[in-house]
Amino acid sequence: MATFLYKIGRLAFRRRHYVALMWVALLTLAGVGAASAPAAGNSSFSIPGTEAQKAFDLLEQRFPGMSADGATARVVFKAPSGEKMTGKANKATVRDTVKELRSGSEVTSVADPYTAHAVSKDGTIAYASVKYKVSGMELEDASRDALKAAAQDARDAGLTVEVGGDALTAAPETGSSEIIGIAVAAVVLVITFGSLLAAGFPLLTALIGVGIGVSTITALASALDLGTTTSTLASMIGLAVGIDYALFIVSRYRSELAEGREREEAAGRAVGTAGSAVVFAGLTVLIALVGLSVVNIPMLTKMGVAAAGTVAIAVLIALTLIPALLGYAGRRIKPTGEKSRLLGGGRKAKAGKPGGHGKQTRPNMGTRWASFVVRRPVAVLLLGVIGLGAAAVPAASLELGLPDDGAQPTSTTQRRAYDLLSEGFGPGFNGPLMVVVDAKDSAHPKAAFTEVGHEIKGLKDVVTVTPAVPNKAGDTATITVVPNSKPSSTTTEDLVHAIRGKGADITSATDAKVLVTGSTAMNIDVSQRLNDALLPYLALVVGLAFLLLIVVFRSVLVPLKAALGFLLSVMAALGAVVAVFQWGWLSNLMNVEQTGPVMSMMPIFMVGVVFGLAMDYEVFLVTRMREAYVHGEKPSQAVVTGFRHGARVVTAAAVIMIAVFSGFIGSSESMIKMIGFGLAVAVFFDAFIVRMAIVPAVLALLGRRAWWLPRWLDRALPNVDVEGEGLRTAGDRHADRDGERELVRA
């Protein structure tokens, strides 16, 4: 592979005009496609195979036009102090608001509080239920604006009015966070390379890759039902790996220049060696993202595949556009150790080989740190493992769930509506359950409906059970159940399971099927689906990556160490998330207003994203060690060599990723805040504790055994030559032998 990529690098360097023109044409084509494609709404949300989804599908068939999965809103009214909602003036205001709400083009029904018995016992709080034709993710902005305007008109009349429900759900805006991340990335790259031009290449190529990927997603969004939220993950991951991969290639190019190679040769060797690491690092990310399909949630699958496509583009850009741009830059890209004139250039690093007799420069930080770890591997290993183990302890108390309006900041109208409904009608009123009774096969449907209602009333934690509402055919009915506990509580989850448990007995007695659905039941089913899929997903991703890394490193123990280190860092990151968002530690610092269950998507999302980035660092850092070892260095010296060349680049890449993810911590959305914090902490743990401390300590302890591979497996595996042995000339090998003799004399 190294030889093939070497040829690609040299070809792109020589034919840079054609390569640059090709990528500009692709970007233009994708942009034109995105601009001319029909506007797509948010993608539809379904969970095939779950009971809640089966009930939604049944309602679509038996209650035509009901829009069972349509968005809902609750406009909550509170009377001024000393007044009642039943007062004449307040009644008139509410009915004017109801009339205004009914005029919406996507509205199917609006329930008048006074005819729907939606006034609290003390008469101070009332609510109007609004139902829409489409889901909250598909609702047009005009409908949301009309809802807010109606609420504001009622406020102007003197009432306290808040709006809850999923009708106000909208994709969070993250543009400012991305800008902050790019700004931090620019600063880190300038410090790393000492050159504005060299620092600009990774940013430019990453933005081109993200531009092509996101534009393509936008162009296909309507046809493939990708929705506006699909591009969020693609842009975040594409930006992350795009900067990383370009950073690796440019860094290796400068190293090759420092060794005295001509620029075209340096570009070819950079792509042949660092490019090989980029290809396999990219493959691990693709495995992690495409593997999200095992969860069997269509929206998550589409997001994973779309992000994987953007990562593939980032790999191709790193292998072709980067060497082309290096060709354009010419001598303005300095070798490692030199700075541009703008940043104090003119000073050249003093040459000298470690172990030689020439005047030596002071070893860089990576060399000094690796030398320390090699001397004290046991102490470093124990400190790292114990530290991460302690951070992982809270993960044993992990509780998963999907947040509701009760997790919103108190400054939002959704949270205030939630609190008003809890005050007036009880906490369970914010998460009613919809029980669907399918009596098509029953001889006495009405009796079956009555029996179901009677059985549910006898269950613990039930406050209200409404009479059954049958369809026109009389073979299906819906029953609304109000729990005594809030929607995200384990008590409500137990009630859902209890109703479903009763369903088996009812079916045997009446031949009627009982299904539980509604947003609360759907959240419970989604959490269960994600929880059940976590271990299979982890096994698939880690297993395939383990096999891939065996091919890359031609070792069994190095990939095993990489996988175990990743698991340790992810568990530690989950422990930190539990401590902050579930236990409330440092909640004031993180501006966490409401603690509760960790978002059920968080573990599997963290595994997918962090695994890909962790393997990037592992492949780039350890391939330099493998390269040094294959070229004749002792195992301990190879570890130091790998850090001398790779630690600075990996550190820069990790700092950039932490900055990008940390930008999301400031979001007012609890889910976005949690994702940003979890990913930033996970990258910190994995890059600086696992890859920078535990990995060199383990390799130092294992010595030559780290690179052991059974002979039969060695013969069976393809030789991908990631370390670039096929690129070495007789002069390179002669120089290595001289270097070994110098080390022996030293």
Side-chain angles (χ1 to χ4, degrees):
M1 175 174 283
T3 303
F4 174 70
L5 294 178
Y6 166 79
K7 292 177 181 178
I8 288 178
R10 294 195 64 169
L11 180 64
F13 188 95
R14 288 197 308 271
R15 307 295 185 189
R16 45 188 172 271
H17 302 307
Y18 296 106
V19 173
L21 183 63
M22 178 190 71
W23 284 110
V24 170
L26 287 175
L27 180 60
T28 303
L29 184 64
V32 171
S36 59
N42 294 286
S43 98
S44 56
F45 186 78
S46 63
I47 314 293
T50 61
E51 181 171 317
Q53 187 63 50
K54 290 176 182 177
F56 276 139
D57 296 340
L58 182 65
L59 289 173
E60 289 290 341
Q61 297 173 12
R62 307 284 176 84
F63 290 81
M66 179 182 179
S67 300
D69 60 346
T72 60
R74 281 178 171 172
V75 182
V76 187
F77 307 89
K78 184 174 183 179
S81 178
E83 297 183 21
K84 301 285 186 181
M85 287 305 304
T86 51
K88 185 177 180 180
N90 293 336
K91 234 182 196 183
T93 299
V94 170
R95 283 181 169 157
D96 287 343
T97 304
V98 169
K99 184 178 179 181
E100 185 178 352
L101 290 169
R102 284 175 178 161
S103 63
S105 60
E106 293 184 307
V107 174
T108 58
S109 66
V110 181
D112 187 317
Y114 303 104
T115 58
H117 307 291
V119 181
S120 63
K121 290 182 179 180
D122 62 4
T124 59
I125 297 174
Y127 69 91
S129 295
V130 186
K131 292 187 177 181
Y132 293 87
K133 299 175 183 177
V134 296
S135 68
M137 302 179 70
E138 299 172 294
L139 202 63
E140 294 181 359
D141 290 338
S143 295
R144 292 193 181 95
D145 293 340
L147 178 62
K148 295 174 184 176
Q152 186 58 49
D153 290 342
R155 288 191 194 102
D156 294 341
L159 296 177
T160 298
V161 185
E162 306 297 346
V163 183
D166 60 350
L168 292 183
T169 300
E173 297 180 1
T174 56
S176 59
S177 300
E178 292 175 2
I179 292 172
I180 293 172
I182 292 172
V184 173
V187 173
V188 173
L189 288 169
V190 170
I191 294 173
T192 302
F193 289 135
S195 165
L196 291 176
L197 187 62
F201 281 173
L203 285 175
L204 174 63
T205 54
L207 290 174
I208 290 174
V210 169
I212 293 173
V214 172
S215 296
T216 303
I217 291 170
T218 304
L220 299 175
S222 179
L224 301 180
D225 190 28
L226 298 179
T228 56
T229 58
T230 308
S231 60
T232 302
L233 179 63
S235 61
M236 183 171 64
I237 303 302
L239 185 64
V241 300
I243 293 174
D244 278 4
Y245 297 162
L247 177 64
F248 296 161
I249 300 288
V250 174
S251 175
R252 185 60 184 255
Y253 172 75
R254 297 178 74 231
S255 296
E256 296 292 337
L257 289 179
E259 293 182 9
R261 306 193 195 282
E262 292 296 326
R263 293 186 179 274
E264 183 178 329
E265 177 70 11
R269 285 180 174 252
V271 176
T273 51
S276 297
V278 165
V279 168
F280 284 99
L283 284 175
T284 60
V285 181
L286 292 178
I287 289 171
L289 292 172
V290 176
L292 288 172
S293 59
V294 303
V295 183
N296 195 24
I297 296 179
M299 186 180 71
L300 198 59
T301 299
K302 292 173 184 177
M303 290 177 67
V305 172
T310 307
V311 171
I313 293 171
V315 172
L316 293 175
I317 283 180
L319 299 179
T320 58
L321 185 56
I322 284 293
L325 292 177
L326 292 174
Y328 281 118
R331 298 186 179 279
R332 285 170 291 184
I333 298 294
K334 306 296 182 182
T336 299
E338 291 188 36
K339 294 182 179 180
S340 65
R341 293 181 180 179
L342 186 62
L343 297 174
R347 294 183 292 109
K348 186 173 181 179
K350 297 178 182 179
K353 290 188 72 171
H357 300 293
K359 188 176 180 180
Q360 302 298 308
T361 60
R362 186 168 181 260
N364 62 21
M365 180 66 75
T367 302
R368 296 198 301 273
W369 170 250
S371 300
F372 169 77
V373 174
V374 167
R375 290 195 305 270
R376 300 284 188 273
V378 175
V380 172
L381 178 61
L382 288 177
L383 188 62
V385 172
I386 292 173
L388 290 179
V393 169
S397 302
L398 177 66
E399 294 179 7
L400 298 178
L402 288 177
D404 52 30
D405 285 346
Q408 297 273 5
T410 53
S411 58
T412 62
T413 186
Q414 294 98 316
R415 172 61 185 277
R416 291 195 292 265
Y418 180 97
D419 292 340
L420 283 176
L421 288 172
S422 296
E423 177 188 339
F425 303 93
F429 205 78
N430 284 289
L433 307 175
M434 180 183 287
V435 178
V436 181
V437 185
D438 179 6
K440 190 173 184 179
D441 298 328
S442 176
H444 305 286
K446 290 184 179 180
F449 302 154
T450 304
E451 177 66 17
V452 172
H454 178 73
E455 290 289 340
I456 294 175
K457 284 180 181 177
L459 293 174
K460 184 181 178 183
D461 195 44
V462 172
V463 174
T464 305
V465 178
T466 64
V469 179
N471 63 349
K472 290 182 179 179
D475 58 5
T476 308
T478 60
I479 299 174
T480 301
V481 180
V482 178
N484 191 37
S485 51
K486 63 182 183 179
S488 60
S489 70
T490 55
T491 306
T492 301
E493 183 177 349
D494 292 340
L495 176 60
V496 170
H497 293 313
I499 296 173
R500 288 172 174 172
K502 284 287 186 182
D505 297 334
I506 293 170
T507 300
S508 62
T510 65
D511 293 325
K513 298 176 183 177
V514 178
L515 303 172
V516 184
T517 188
S519 59
T520 301
M522 180 64 84
N523 288 350
I524 292 171
D525 286 351
V526 170
S527 298
Q528 188 63 48
R529 171 68 64 83
L530 290 166
N531 194 38
D532 292 343
L534 181 58
L535 288 180
Y537 174 70
L538 197 59
L540 173 70
V541 169
V542 175
L544 289 177
F546 178 76
L547 296 176
L548 185 65
L549 292 179
I550 287 179
V551 175
V552 175
F553 297 128
R554 305 196 75 78
S555 163
V556 174
L557 297 180
V558 171
L560 180 62
K561 171 265 308 170
L564 293 176
F566 160 73
L567 293 175
L568 190 58
S569 62
V570 165
M571 291 303 297
L574 281 176
V577 170
V578 170
V580 173
F581 292 90
Q582 190 174 309
W583 292 359
W585 293 7
L586 302 178
S587 58
N588 291 333
L589 181 63
M590 296 292 171
N591 196 27
V592 178
E593 296 186 12
Q594 183 73 31
T595 59
V598 173
M599 184 180 65
S600 54
M601 199 176 291
M602 187 70 192
I604 205 163
F605 185 79
M606 184 183 292
V607 167
V609 175
V610 177
F611 182 81
L613 295 177
M615 293 305 105
D616 282 357
Y617 307 145
E618 174 77 15
V619 169
F620 188 76
L621 193 61
V622 180
T623 48
R624 292 305 295 256
M625 300 178 191
R626 168 77 181 171
E627 184 179 338
Y629 176 75
V630 169
H631 294 163
E633 292 189 8
K634 295 179 180 180
S636 59
Q637 182 60 34
V639 171
V640 177
T641 299
F643 266 76
R644 181 170 68 248
H645 293 296
R648 184 182 182 89
V649 178
V650 171
T651 298
V655 170
I656 289 170
M657 290 307 95
I658 292 170
V660 169
F661 294 141
S662 295
F664 292 92
I665 298 177
S667 173
S668 60
E669 290 286 336
S670 60
M671 289 190 296
I672 301 299
K673 185 190 296 286
M674 189 182 297
I675 288 173
F677 174 80
L679 293 180
V681 169
V683 170
F684 174 80
F685 285 158
D686 197 272
F688 294 110
I689 299 181
V690 174
R691 308 301 152 192
M692 294 290 188
I694 294 178
V695 165
V698 171
L699 291 177
L701 289 172
L702 290 175
R704 296 185 184 277
R705 290 169 293 180
W707 309 107
W708 170 79
L709 186 69
R711 291 185 179 179
W712 64 268
L713 186 57
D714 187 36
R715 291 192 298 269
L717 292 177
N719 183 15
V720 296
D721 189 23
V722 176
E723 59 274 359
E725 181 64 22
L727 305 179
R728 297 176 60 73
T729 63
D732 293 330
R733 297 184 181 94
H734 182 70
D736 275 347
R737 285 194 293 271
D738 289 345
E740 289 176 26
R741 294 191 191 102
E742 293 291 342
L743 287 171
V744 170
R745 293 193 193 103

